[in-house]
Amino acid sequence: MRAIFFDETDAQAVVARLRADGFEAALERERLAGEDDDEDHPWAVVSDAPAFMLEVLVDTHDGWLDEGDDDAGEHTTPLAPLDLPTAPRTVKRPDLG
């Protein structure tokens, strides 16, 4: 799960708190689509801490929780490929035949 912060100090405080509580936590720069200025990119805290704990820290340090599906493919088994037709279907109208 990821927590996003615009202030680096807040993000570092969250990482320190999570590590002090025995969880893994890493700080990385979050690149937003369409954002040109590198200084405006927010900070992402990636952790294995429970969601409720991250929610409290996000509320305390003015950030938000990213519960997106970005990492979902890493933890799930891939789906089998679809069985698609190789040619268009022919539709016969009984009233013309």
Side-chain angles (χ1 to χ4, degrees), residues 63-90:
W64 75 92
L65 222 60
D66 181 18
E67 300 179 35
D69 295 337
D70 294 342
D71 297 332
E74 294 178 14
H75 305 292
T76 60
T77 57
L79 297 174
L82 295 175
D83 184 23
L84 299 174
T86 57
R89 291 189 312 172
T90 304

Side-chain angles (χ1 to χ4, degrees), residues 34-64:
E35 187 64 49
D36 294 333
D37 188 5
D38 284 343
E39 296 302 316
D40 288 337
H41 292 301
W43 294 89
V45 175
V46 181
S47 178
D48 63 345
F52 70 88
M53 186 170 195
L54 282 174
E55 286 178 26
V56 171
L57 292 170
V58 161
D59 288 342
T60 304
H61 293 280
D62 196 28
W64 75 92

